[in-house]
């Protein structure tokens, strides 16, 4: 009985032991997260190089996965896409938010497939060959957000495509820890970038004030270096050209060439020590021209070939700079050492970046600020050399001025007495000139006032104080041209006092003049817009010019004036004079600017029609 019980116990416990063994074998590539997970700098994963483009094809095929326990995956140049599998297990009961960071922001294309608990697949697109708005997190780094439920295992597949050497460093972060890390990183980066921008602004300001070309060359050099750093660290793609994938792809090769070629004009200005051989300047000139040609050529080459071409040319250019500095004259030894150090830093920066492109180096590029420190030293020394050059030129200029000043002082001592006599004569002459100038200014001012008064009198009717016929002809020409140009309606109203001859015969010409003035005031009171004006056309006849006014608006205004004139009473010597008015109206868009009198002719015909129809009314001219 005891043996049977022991045998049954072994049979019951064997499946459990077998399952534990299988789990142990299957979890060799699983990364278990603790409940208080913060950061995993080197995340283990499995990878394979496979031609499958979709996850379904990959899972359905018999793929051999290679385990990579730590560090960055460096496969060199791979033609096919690389698949990466990351298995994460959350043994705690709470859900853990995570950020998977691919610490190489220059990768062309990354597609993330996240296996969901309900067997769904969440697909996310990243990479600098795609617009920034397509990334799951609008950030300069390649970030993949994850949510790990409690007591669950999540599998993540990454499909990576890249032109050139493949460097894939992965790290896992808690969002809070990543925010702390990125805040410190951005603070340090912002301080250094701000220092570079301050040097750029300083050199450009010096160029603006001094017009020394080497300050402009220094500004171009530091600007290209700053743009290169911004591009490498991903900030250019985030803030400058988020929708310009071509610049994100070719920006590194172009900016590497520009930042190296920008040294050439500074060297040609002999601020940095170079050999005194006669062909050195020609060589630098040809180097600059060939560099510009290679920069244009790189925009048409494949991305990998463009990067290699740019780095090889830049390294050869720095070697040439190094050689012409070594061959400089011995008395420039104090300048040689710092300049050679600058070229050495530039060479280190280029070789360091080129090592990543060739696959010789791997890892998180942003955590190794070799390029940034070398570039900062190069820009700082160039700024110092430019400032020192300007100070030395300024000192030489001051010394030359002092020598000239000493020479002129000796000459001035001999001419001092003659100058004193000339100064006295000049003072007398200036005093006389000032008096004549003052008199001339007074006369000109009086003449200007007279001219203004005369111009006002020429424009104004002396009786009614409204504008006269001469000014009306000028205004009519202007408004006709404006109507033709802007295609707006111009309206002209001709008004005449009815039976005005009877007023003169019965009450006298003085009463007639007062009646005309009262009629002019009545018209002026009804004009509200600044451009609407009334003119005395002749005798008791007036004309109103209404720009941008159609026939309906002009008719309404003419009726108001007619009614106001009928109710107006002129009191002269205890006698009340009442009068009426007739008006003719013409409205149209001007077509012939050479014949502006058509408006007055047609309005006058309408006025004549109003007179013939019984007076005290408004008629509109109609084309037959």
């Amino acid at each position: 009985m005891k043996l049977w019980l022991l045998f049954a116990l072994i049979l019951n416990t064997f499946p459990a032991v077998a399952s534990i063994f299988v789990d142990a074998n299957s979890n060799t590539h699983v990364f278990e997260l603790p409940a208080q997970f913060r950061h995993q700098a080197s995340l283990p994963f499995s990878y394979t190089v496979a031609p499958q483009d979709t996850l379904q094809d990959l899972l359905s095929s018999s793929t051999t996965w290679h385990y990579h326990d730590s560090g960055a995956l460096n496969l060199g140049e791979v033609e096919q896409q690389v698949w990466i599998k990351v298995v994460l297990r959350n043994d705690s009961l709470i859900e853990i938010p995570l950020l998977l960071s691919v610490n190489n922001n220059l990768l062309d294309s990354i597609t993330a497939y996240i296996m969901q608990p309900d067997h769904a697949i969440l697909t996310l697109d990243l990479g600098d060959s795609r617009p920034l708005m397509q990334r799951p997190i609008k950030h300069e780094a390649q970030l993949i957000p994850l949510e790990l439920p409690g007591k669950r295992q999540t599998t993540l597949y990454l499909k990576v495509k890249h032109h050139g050497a493949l460097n894939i460093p992965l790290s896992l972060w808690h969002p809070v820890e990543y925010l702390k890390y990125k805040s410190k990183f951005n603070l340090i980066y912002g301080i250094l970038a701000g220092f570079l921008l301050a040097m750029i602004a300083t050199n450009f300001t010096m160029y603006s004030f001094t017009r020394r070309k080497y300050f402009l060359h220094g500004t171009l050099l530091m600007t290209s270096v700053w743009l290169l750093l911004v591009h490498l660290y991903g900030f250019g793609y985030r803030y400058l050209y988020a929708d310009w994938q071509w610049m994100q792809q070719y920006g590194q090769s172009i900016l590497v060439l520009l930042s190296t070629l920008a040294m050439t004009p500074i060297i040609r200005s002999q601020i940095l020590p170079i050999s005194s051989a006669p062909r050195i300047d020609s060589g630098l000139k040809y180097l600059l021209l060939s560099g510009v040609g290679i920069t244009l050529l790189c925009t048409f080459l494949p991305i990998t070939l463009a990067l290699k071409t740019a780095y090889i040319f830049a390294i050869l250019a720095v070697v040439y700079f190094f050689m012409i500095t070594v061959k400089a004259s011995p008395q420039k030894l104090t300048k040689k050492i710092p300049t050679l150090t600058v070229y050495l830093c530039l060479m280190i920066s280029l070789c360091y970046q080129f090592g990543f492109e060739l696959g010789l180096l791997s890892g998180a590029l942003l955590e190794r600020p070799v390029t940034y420190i070398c570039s900062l030293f190069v820009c700082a020394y160039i700024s110092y050399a430019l400032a020192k050059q300007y100070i030395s030129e300024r000192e030489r200029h001051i010394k030359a001025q002092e020598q000239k000043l000493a020479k002129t002082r000796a000459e001035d001592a001999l001419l001092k007495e003659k100058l004193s006599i000339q100064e006295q004569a000049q003072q007398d002459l200036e005093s006389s000139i000032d008096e004549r100038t003052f008199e001339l200014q007074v006369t000109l001012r009086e003449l200007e006032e007279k001219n203004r008064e005369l111009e006002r009198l020429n424009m104004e009717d002396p009786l009614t104080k409204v504008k006269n016929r001469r000014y009306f002809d000028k205004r009519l020409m202007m408004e006709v041209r404006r109507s033709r140009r802007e295609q707006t309606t111009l309206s002209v109203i001709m008004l005449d006092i009815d039976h005005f001859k009877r007023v003169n015969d019965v009450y006298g010409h003085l009463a007639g003049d007062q009646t005309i003035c009262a009629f002019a005031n009545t018209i002026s009171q009804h004009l509200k817009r600044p451009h609407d004006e009334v003119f005395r056309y002749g005798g008791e006849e007036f004309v109103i010019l209404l720009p941008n006014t159609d026939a309906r608006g002009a008719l309404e205004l003419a009726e108001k004036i007619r009614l106001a004139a009928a109710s107006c009473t002129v009191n002269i010597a205890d006698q009340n004079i009442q009068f009426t008015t007739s008006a003719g109206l013409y409205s149209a868009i001007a077509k012939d600017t050479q014949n502006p009198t058509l408006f007055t002719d047609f309005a006058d015909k309408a006025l004549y029609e109003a007179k013939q129809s019984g007076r005290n009314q408004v008629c509109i001219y109609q084309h037959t």
Side-chain angles (χ1 to χ4, degrees), residues 427-478:
Q427 290 177 358
D428 296 339
L429 180 60
E430 289 178 354
S431 177
S432 178
I433 291 174
D434 290 340
E435 292 177 359
R436 298 295 184 270
T437 303
F438 179 74
E439 294 176 358
L440 181 60
Q441 289 176 350
V442 172
T443 303
L444 290 176
R445 191 177 297 112
E446 293 176 353
L447 181 60
E448 185 178 358
E449 292 176 355
K450 296 295 184 182
N451 287 334
R452 282 199 295 267
E453 180 67 20
L454 182 60
E455 184 178 359
R456 186 184 63 82
L457 293 176
N458 287 333
M459 293 168 49
E460 189 178 87
D461 181 58
L463 177 63
T464 59
K465 305 304 179 182
V466 299
K467 299 298 187 299
N468 57 17
R469 171 70 177 276
R470 180 182 302 173
Y471 184 66
F472 168 73
D473 293 338
K474 294 180 181 180
R475 275 296 307 277
L476 180 61
M477 176 62 73
M478 294 168 56

Side-chain angles (χ1 to χ4, degrees), residues 526-567:
H526 285 78
L527 301 181
K528 305 301 182 182
R529 298 189 306 177
H531 292 291
D532 297 345
E533 282 192 279
V534 59
F535 306 86
R536 188 180 181 188
Y537 199 70
E540 73 280 7
E541 191 173 7
F542 291 84
V543 61
I544 301 175
L545 197 60
L546 301 174
N548 198 10
T549 304
D550 57 4
R552 182 178 178 181
L555 178 61
E556 182 179 352
L557 177 63
E559 284 292 338
K560 290 181 180 180
I561 295 174
R562 185 186 66 80
L563 294 175
S567 61

Side-chain angles (χ1 to χ4, degrees), residues 385-431:
L386 296 179
K388 187 176 180 181
Q389 176 71 16
Y390 176 71
I391 292 173
S392 62
E393 290 180 359
R394 187 71 175 173
E395 289 178 351
R396 289 195 298 268
H397 181 67
I398 291 175
K399 289 182 180 179
Q401 285 185 338
E402 288 177 352
Q403 294 176 356
K404 291 181 179 179
L405 183 60
K407 184 177 180 180
T408 54
R409 284 177 180 176
E411 296 175 355
D412 290 344
L414 299 175
L415 300 176
K416 188 175 182 180
E417 184 178 357
K418 182 178 181 180
L419 288 176
S420 61
I421 299 173
Q422 291 181 350
E423 288 178 359
Q424 183 63 37
Q426 185 176 0
Q427 290 177 358
D428 296 339
L429 180 60
E430 289 178 354
S431 177

